[in-house]
Amino acid sequence: MSAIVCAGDEFISADLLARALAEAGVDAEFRRIDSRWPTEPFAAFDGVREAAGDPARLAELVRGADALVTHLAPLTAEVLAAGRGSLRVVGVTRGGPVNVDVAAATAAGALVVHLPGRNLGAVAEFCIGTMICAMRGLPAAASELAAGQWDAAGFRYERTGLELRAATVGLVGLGAVGLRVAELLRAFGSTVLAHDPYASAEAAQRVGVRLVALPELLSGSDVVSVHARLTPETKQMIDAGALDAMRPGAVLVNTARGELVDTRAVDAALESGKLRAAVLDVFDPEPPAPDDPLLRRPNVFATPHLAGASRQVAEESAARIAAEVATVLSGGTPGNCANPEVTGTRTVEPWSSS
């Protein structure tokens, strides 16, 4: 019988992973362990990041195991070396396996499978909902009412905002999440622009998006929503110059990575009135400093990296990774693999850090 380590947490538990594997037809001894994320924050470990758990304990559990399935466990070189000779596959319920030392997994002979776009539905719905809230000034109005202040001046013309059907929305990045956001915006009747040097023209046309250069997107959009991958080229791509190029009174939404946006420049743009509002679900660093002035602005809708949090994400991610692991254990080729050179399998889609 196979032995599989299920390393869960308080979002995707070891029990949920084991149940998904059993439902996928995997007959195995399940070795379960859970970290306390998100109650305790994730951290960087030896060569991996955004990880939670005890590498030494994982190394003990992985000895003799055929597979390891996880969400955030720190799969360091130490952990993966302990699985050398038995470990065939590592399954990660994330868009990109940033918590895995992929080189060490390759050296151990283990495929690393993952789930690009695993939370695209949750993130896309979050984007649409918060765009509406930010354009209409709803977070500040709700906060004022909770504090006992009835502000009927929100009906004054100069304080009202756009409806999505009248707005032009610019998407910086048109990957899986960006495409889903575009589909939802199309239903509202929005005009949608996108900038992505790697986007498929056919996919953009299918969802009614016009691909443009970044300067045209910035100057032509009422809402700019960031969905780019973090690379050396995209780091702080939304800087003071980009913000200055945006329409006066525009809204900025960032659910991708905090490092894509210069938050000090955003603070200045909000102070000057250049930006009407900002929606920030991601920060650099995370968590942001408690005294960060940006968080206290009434026209900032800030959330603690929750855009991808839904029950569907947890349950469907467990089911999808279980199917991938079952495929590998039965001798098949996985759909998304970070190190196909291990067996010559083909990567269908490059992994991202989302």
Side-chain angles (χ1 to χ4, degrees):
M1 178 181 291
S2 299
I4 299 180
V5 177
C6 296
D9 49 56
E10 295 173 350
F11 179 48
I12 303 177
S13 69
D15 284 344
L16 180 58
L17 293 169
R19 184 165 65 250
L21 286 159
E23 291 173 354
V26 176
D27 183 18
E29 167 207 346
F30 296 116
R31 304 173 183 175
R32 296 172 171 87
I33 186 171
D34 283 304
S35 74
R36 295 195 63 220
W37 183 88
T39 299
E40 295 178 356
F42 57 52
F45 287 79
D46 182 20
V48 303
R49 59 190 176 90
E50 295 183 14
D54 181 358
R57 178 65 180 135
L58 285 167
E60 293 174 7
L61 291 175
V62 80
R63 288 189 177 90
D66 300 273
L68 190 157
V69 185
T70 189
H71 177 214
L72 289 174
L75 304 190
T76 63
E78 172 196 3
V79 172
L80 293 161
R84 188 187 295 269
S86 66
L87 194 64
R88 296 172 56 191
V89 57
V90 168
V92 184
T93 60
R94 305 184 68 182
V98 296
N99 55 310
V100 181
D101 186 328
V102 176
T106 301
L111 290 171
V112 178
V113 296
H114 56 107
L115 303 177
R118 60 112 185 201
N119 59 7
L120 66 91
V123 175
E125 289 188 11
F126 178 97
C127 288
I128 298 299
T130 55
M131 284 177 193
I132 294 170
C133 288
M135 285 193 296
R136 303 280 294 278
L138 302 184
S143 178
E144 289 172 0
L145 187 56
Q149 180 179 352
W150 180 272
D151 184 12
F155 245 102
R156 291 173 57 178
Y157 177 82
E158 65 270 18
R159 284 185 49 184
T160 58
L162 293 175
E163 298 176 28
L164 269 180
R165 65 187 174 93
T168 297
V169 180
L171 306 178
V172 182
L174 198 64
V177 174
L179 285 169
R180 181 57 180 157
V181 172
E183 289 176 344
L184 296 178
L185 288 169
R186 188 178 191 181
F188 279 90
S190 305
T191 298
V192 185
L193 308 177
H195 170 71
D196 189 331
Y198 307 101
S200 159
E202 293 76 16
Q205 184 176 28
R206 175 176 57 80
V207 295
V209 170
R210 183 162 66 90
L211 292 171
V212 297
L214 184 59
E216 182 178 350
L217 181 148
L218 295 171
S219 64
S221 299
D222 301 296
V223 181
V224 173
S225 189
V226 182
H227 303 284
R229 294 178 177 179
L230 178 62
T231 68
E233 291 73 31
T234 61
K235 186 172 183 179
Q236 292 207 346
M237 66 185 303
I238 305 300
D239 57 9
L243 292 164
D244 188 58
M246 290 171 62
R247 285 182 176 178
V251 171
L252 176 69
V253 179
N254 185 17
T255 58
R257 281 290 182 268
E259 297 93 329
L260 296 168
V261 173
D262 181 347
T263 52
R264 299 282 67 80
V266 171
D267 191 49
L270 289 163
E271 176 68 24
S272 70
K274 178 68 176 183
L275 284 180
R276 174 184 176 89
V279 175
L280 303 173
D281 185 55
V282 289
F283 301 88
D284 178 27
E286 286 191 358
D291 60 350
D292 188 332
L294 193 61
L295 304 181
R296 296 195 294 272
R297 289 193 175 277
N299 51 351
V300 171
F301 191 166
T303 49
H305 209 142
L306 293 178
S310 75
R311 291 189 179 183
Q312 284 68 38
V313 169
E315 294 166 0
E316 293 170 8
S317 294
R320 286 179 58 196
I321 205 65
E324 291 276 50
V325 169
T327 294
V328 173
L329 293 178
S330 63
T333 300
N336 294 283
C337 180
N339 56 346
E341 64 273 19
V342 171
T343 60
T345 56
R346 181 174 62 90
T347 300
V348 174
E349 181 177 345
W351 65 269
S352 72
S353 60
S354 60

